[in-house]
């Protein structure tokens, strides 16, 4: 394995943080080391946000800052990932030739491949959702982290672009969620906050999560916003009972 260095700038929401940790996990497995200083890195990676105009501006500013560092250090690579790349990859490729690759939100699993052989053009609808086998890198002393149980949204709200950025609603099996939660706890994560897309969507994880407390422990996992795992499980149990009554 080779020893390369990568500098990450992760912007936006907690979902982006999880995606960034998965990208860094892939790189770490391939022999890359994270560094805090951009000018020490061979790979400059920025995970962008595009939900609001202000977030897009922040993302573009971050890209331009890293582009300056790349220009001062020939041979470095600059990779732009995330929602901005998902939404505007073709336009950005034309206006920012200094960027070596654009990684959409459905392409995180192919990060290493796309760094070496980037695909230029409009991104397809994202469908990727990491499972517990996907490598994940946690920063040292990351006592609080996030556990993504679902992604995307099927609601067609006129004011929201989440379905375009994140794709259709899709959920992870509860057993897979439990395995990742256990792995994160083993890495030192004391508190794990659950992340999903639309709370109004019928998410199988809501109904199947009744055994998480037994398998993980009530002090390990809670939800976003600050709702205890017990309250979450009580809600899931009541929903399961309601579903059973409706089936009779």
């Amino acid at each position: 394995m080779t020893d390369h260095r990568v500098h990450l700038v992760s912007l936006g929401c907690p979902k982006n943080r999880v995606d960034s940790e998965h990208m860094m996990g892939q790189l770490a497995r391939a022999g890359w080391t994270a560094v805090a200083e951009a000018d020490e890195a061979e790979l400059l990676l920025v995970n962008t946000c595009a939900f609001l105009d202000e977030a897009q501006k922040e993302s573009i500013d971050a890209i331009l800052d890293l582009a300056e560092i790349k220009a001062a250090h020939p041979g470095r690579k600059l990779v732009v990932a995330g929602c901005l790349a998902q939404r505007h990859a073709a336009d950005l490729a034309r206006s920012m030739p200094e960027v070596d690759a654009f990684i959409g939100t459905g392409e995180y699993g192919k990060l290493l491949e796309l760094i070496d052989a980037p695909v230029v053009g409009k991104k397809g609808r994202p469908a990727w959702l990491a499972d517990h086998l996907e490598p994940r890198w946690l920063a040292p002393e990351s006592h609080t982290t996030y556990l993504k149980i679902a992604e995307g949204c099927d609601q067609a709200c006129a004011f929201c672009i989440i379905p375009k950025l994140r794709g259709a609603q899709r959920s992870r099996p509860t057993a897979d969620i439990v395995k990742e939660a256990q792995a994160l706890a083993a890495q030192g994560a004391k508190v794990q906050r659950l992340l999903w897309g639309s709370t109004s969507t019928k998410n199988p994880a809501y109904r199947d999560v009744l055994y998480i407390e037994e398998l993980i422990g009530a002090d390990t996992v809670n939800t976003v916003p600050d709702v205890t795992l017990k309250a979450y499980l009580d809600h899931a149990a009541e929903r399961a009972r309601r579903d059973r009554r409706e089936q009779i």
Side-chain angles (χ1 to χ4, degrees):
M1 296 173 65
T2 57
D3 184 17
H4 298 303
R5 291 162 295 175
V6 54
H7 174 76
L8 168 71
V9 176
S10 188
L11 304 173
C13 67
K15 286 188 176 184
N16 259 25
R17 171 178 162 176
V18 174
D19 295 335
S20 293
E21 290 171 349
H22 279 303
M23 287 192 288
M24 292 294 286
Q26 292 179 54
L27 291 166
R29 186 170 61 180
W32 291 77
T33 301
V35 294
E37 301 299 327
D39 57 3
E40 297 177 359
E42 299 164 63
L43 174 63
L44 305 170
L45 174 62
V46 55
N47 197 10
T48 60
C49 179
F51 188 61
L52 300 172
D53 290 343
E54 184 176 340
Q56 293 187 50
K57 182 180 183 302
E58 181 185 22
S59 294
I60 291 173
D61 288 344
I63 296 169
L64 294 176
D65 287 344
L66 293 179
E68 288 185 6
I69 295 174
K70 177 189 175 184
H73 299 83
R76 309 293 169 89
K77 282 190 174 183
L78 173 56
V79 174
V80 174
C83 292
L84 192 68
Q86 177 65 35
R87 190 178 185 189
H88 298 298
D91 293 334
L92 291 172
R94 288 190 291 268
S95 62
M96 294 182 166
E98 58 267 60
V99 176
D100 295 287
F102 292 93
I103 313 293
T105 57
E107 299 176 317
Y108 294 128
K110 301 187 294 183
L111 174 68
L112 294 170
E113 172 187 338
L114 292 174
I115 288 175
D116 292 330
V119 177
V120 179
K122 185 177 180 180
K123 302 298 182 182
R125 195 175 194 192
W128 184 80
L129 179 59
D131 59 22
H132 78 280
L133 297 174
E134 189 71 28
R136 185 172 173 185
W137 175 87
L138 297 183
E141 300 184 1
S142 295
H143 299 307
T144 299
T145 189
Y146 295 91
L147 183 60
K148 190 187 294 188
I149 67 173
E151 181 61 281
C153 182
D154 288 335
Q155 308 300 315
C157 303
F159 58 86
C160 182
I161 61 169
I162 292 299
K164 294 180 180 178
L165 298 178
R166 294 285 177 172
Q169 165 75 29
R170 51 206 185 274
S171 304
R172 295 173 58 186
T174 299
D176 186 62
I177 297 169
V178 169
K179 288 177 181 178
E180 184 179 9
Q182 292 171 328
L184 292 172
Q187 292 182 64
K190 304 299 184 183
V191 177
Q192 299 174 37
R193 296 183 178 275
L194 304 181
L195 295 174
W196 58 84
S198 171
T199 56
S200 64
T201 302
K202 291 184 177 180
N203 185 338
Y206 299 161
R207 298 189 297 275
D208 298 337
V209 79
L210 300 179
Y211 299 107
I212 287 183
E213 183 178 32
E214 177 183 352
L215 294 173
I216 303 174
D219 295 332
T220 306
V221 180
N222 57 31
T223 64
V224 174
D226 292 328
V227 179
T228 65
L229 179 62
K230 183 179 184 304
Y232 176 76
L233 292 170
D234 288 345
H235 169 75
E238 175 56 32
R239 181 166 181 169
R241 287 191 291 269
R242 187 167 61 249
D243 288 347
R244 286 194 294 271
R245 287 196 299 268
E246 291 174 354
Q247 292 172 5
I248 296 176

